[in-house]
Amino acid sequence: MLDALLQYRGQLLQGLEITLIVGVASFLLGFLIAAVLAPLAVYGNSITRRIIMGYVGLIRGLPELLVIFLVFYGGTVLLTKLVGEYVEVDALTAGIVSLAVVAAAYLTEILRGALVSVSSGQWEAALSLGFRRPRAFHLVILPQMMARALPGLGNQWLVTLKESALVSVVGLEELMRKSVVAAGATHQPLAFYLAAAGLYVMVTAVSNLAFKAYETRLTVHLR
Amino acid sequence: MLSFELFLPAFLAVKNGFILTLTITLASFALGQVLALPLALALNAKGKALRVPASTYTFLVRGSPLLVQLFIVYYGLGQIEAVRQSFLWPMLRSPIYCAILAIGLNSAAYAAELLAGAIRQLPPGQWEAGRSLGLCSGVLMLKIILPQAYRAILPAIGNELVLVMKGSTLASAVTVMEMTGAARVFVAKSYAPFETFLIAGAIYLLLGAIFGRIFRFIETRTTTPGR
């Protein structure tokens, strides 16, 4: 069992690298989208607000695997029709895009909640001190908002990282897919899936510690 | 871009998986809730002998993807000789039972953390009042602590049911032809991903909405008057 694991060690670590790339890329992309949508969901007009909340509700109700299939197979058909010849969306792009679309919905909700929880008195105080709105947001609202959003953000990062395993179903060579291939080749499924689980747990444990440390730094003023 | 004449055959193909989706969802949710209660009590136990294994379990399950856990159960367990000899083997060979087991075990970890958190959040006066009335710890737990804890996490349990429903799609990765699996097979035949996955998505949304309704109904029925 150990021999097989050692033999495929390089493959698994390569897979872990892809897993981290997909996780980080889709989390960052999702965060960028959410950073635009969340303020619009709070300060926008009623139509914008309704559209954004509709998107959030829609994605929260849909299984992630279905979104991945929709982007992967749907993207291929769409691009093929647009270009006029057969184009296949590669699994990496499809994975990052679909996970980002999912993460963006949850992150919008997290950031929106954090933004709403900063009391309007903070805005009034900042404006009455003569700050302009962008500067008031940057110096007064944003730090308080981020302190409140951080637990949610950390949680969503872990969710996105774990969801990246689903992209293996459409053939992306990340940690899960590498373990499937190695398990098939060596007839040692238990060893390889346990090893994969162990690697995921390791990453989540390290991320947890990092987020906890950052949180204690950001919330010094609350203690 | 969408061709509407494909919606009907897509619907007919996807609907075949509906019963399986519903069965897996409800069975794993039930399994998860049944296991969550002892697990939550163990998480809050005073002795380390119970607390450490329980928190290790929830840490490991919540730290790794459901897909890996499903593969460990479905492909991995069969490798152990003792499992193949046991009376459970006929069940563990079936992908549907494996999916229910894996999703249920996964859901149990999340639900247990929820319940344990809710129990910890209750004011200590609840225990003191119960003890001063002479209730033994079993009755105290059953009649005073758990009803309040469950009432507090009822919305979150409803959420968990929707998460389990979303997790049931992973069963398609171990050859179970539930809705997502059926949809994928139909896409391979018809080359109509948008129509098929949109139909499947709509059914999932509908099912999630129904689950939400049911839980909101239970909530209105169980709220304490005056709150």
Side-chain angles (χ1 to χ4, degrees):
Chain A
M1 219 162 110
L2 220 55
D3 298 348
L5 278 181
L6 282 176
Q7 193 193 337
Y8 280 87
R9 187 187 49 194
Q11 290 284 316
L12 290 185
L13 290 180
Q14 259 178 32
L16 182 64
E17 201 184 322
I18 306 280
T19 288
L20 288 175
I21 290 172
V22 173
V24 170
S26 40
F27 185 78
L28 288 182
L29 188 57
F31 187 80
L32 282 181
I33 301 172
V36 175
L37 293 187
L40 283 176
V42 178
Y43 303 121
N45 61 30
S46 72
I47 300 171
T48 331
R49 281 208 307 258
R50 207 162 291 169
I51 292 174
I52 294 174
M53 293 326 282
Y55 162 70
V56 171
L58 193 72
I59 292 292
R60 295 220 287 185
L62 283 180
E64 291 76 18
L65 196 59
L66 204 67
V67 178
I68 293 173
F69 284 158
L70 198 58
V71 171
F72 184 68
Y73 295 109
T76 301
V77 167
L78 194 66
L79 281 183
T80 304
K81 279 205 178 124
L82 285 180
V83 178
E85 55 182 283
Y86 183 75
V87 190
E88 194 176 284
V89 179
D90 70 296
L92 183 69
T93 318
I96 292 176
V97 168
S98 43
L99 291 182
V101 164
V102 173
Y106 288 90
L107 289 169
T108 300
E109 195 55 22
I110 292 166
L111 292 182
R112 191 190 65 88
L115 188 54
V116 171
S117 76
V118 179
S119 79
S120 56
Q122 297 289 332
W123 270 113
E124 288 157 15
L127 295 180
S128 71
L129 284 171
F131 285 111
R132 285 174 208 287
R133 283 189 80 89
R135 228 173 132 65
F137 180 77
H138 182 71
L139 291 177
V140 179
I141 306 298
L142 190 65
Q144 301 186 56
M145 175 186 153
M146 287 321 278
R148 280 173 212 185
L150 204 63
L153 295 181
N155 219 1
Q156 186 55 43
W157 153 247
L158 297 184
V159 171
T160 302
L161 178 78
K162 286 184 278 171
E163 275 169 8
S164 74
L166 299 186
V167 187
S168 68
V169 178
V170 293
L172 179 67
E173 293 276 317
E174 42 68 85
L175 178 53
M176 191 64 212
R177 180 85 204 143
K178 293 275 191 197
S179 336
V180 171
V181 172
T186 58
H187 300 292
Q188 300 270 5
L190 194 60
F192 280 100
Y193 296 138
L194 283 179
L199 287 173
Y200 279 110
V201 168
M202 218 174 66
V203 177
T204 46
V206 171
S207 322
N208 249 336
L209 289 179
F211 266 98
K212 283 262 166 61
Y214 192 50
E215 202 184 322
T216 40
R217 257 188 60 189
L218 271 189
T219 52
V220 171
H221 64 285
L222 294 178
R223 268 174 283 134
Chain B
M1 196 190 67
L2 293 174
S3 51
F4 286 94
E5 63 266 30
L6 272 171
F7 272 119
L8 186 65
F11 174 75
L12 292 176
V14 169
K15 95 171 192 322
N16 286 334
F18 179 76
I19 295 295
L20 266 180
T21 287
L22 197 62
T23 313
I24 296 174
T25 302
L26 294 180
S28 13
F29 176 72
L31 178 65
Q33 290 302 317
V34 167
L35 295 177
L37 178 58
L39 204 53
L41 295 180
L43 281 173
N44 279 344
K46 288 205 182 69
K48 271 192 174 165
L50 283 173
R51 212 176 53 227
V52 172
S55 59
T56 310
Y57 175 75
T58 58
F59 171 73
L60 291 179
V61 170
R62 300 198 310 162
S64 56
L66 175 55
L67 190 63
V68 180
Q69 295 158 16
L70 178 59
F71 278 19
I72 290 176
V73 171
Y74 183 59
Y75 296 109
L77 285 188
Q79 226 185 304
I80 304 170
E81 189 58 37
V83 173
R84 263 178 297 160
Q85 300 297 331
S86 83
F87 68 100
L88 284 171
W89 182 234
M91 277 174 102
L92 286 172
R93 263 165 61 190
S94 133
I96 296 176
Y97 281 113
C98 279
I100 292 173
L101 184 65
I103 299 169
L105 286 173
N106 179 274
S107 172
Y110 287 90
E113 286 285 349
L114 270 176
L115 186 58
I119 292 175
R120 275 195 297 270
Q121 293 289 313
L122 285 180
Q126 297 292 330
W127 268 275
E128 289 159 17
R131 268 188 227 109
S132 64
L133 285 172
L135 300 179
C136 69
S137 54
V139 176
L140 174 66
M141 196 41 111
L142 213 61
K143 294 280 183 186
I144 295 183
I145 303 303
L146 286 182
Q148 299 186 65
Y150 270 113
R151 200 178 287 139
I153 60 166
L154 203 55
I157 294 182
N159 220 359
E160 187 59 35
L161 178 56
V162 174
L163 287 180
V164 167
M165 178 196 77
K166 296 208 256 172
S168 75
T169 57
L170 299 200
S172 67
V174 289
T175 71
V176 179
M177 281 299 121
E178 43 68 76
M179 278 210 292
T180 304
R184 207 179 169 199
V185 168
F186 186 73
V187 167
K189 272 192 295 194
S190 66
Y191 209 54
F194 282 109
E195 292 82 352
T196 317
F197 289 132
L198 285 180
I199 290 265
I203 300 178
Y204 278 115
L205 285 176
L206 195 70
L207 196 57
I210 293 172
F211 288 151
R213 269 289 157 77
I214 294 174
F215 267 86
R216 233 163 299 142
F217 176 73
I218 301 176
E219 248 172 84
T220 52
R221 274 306 179 82
T222 53
T223 41
T224 33
R227 279 228 188 139

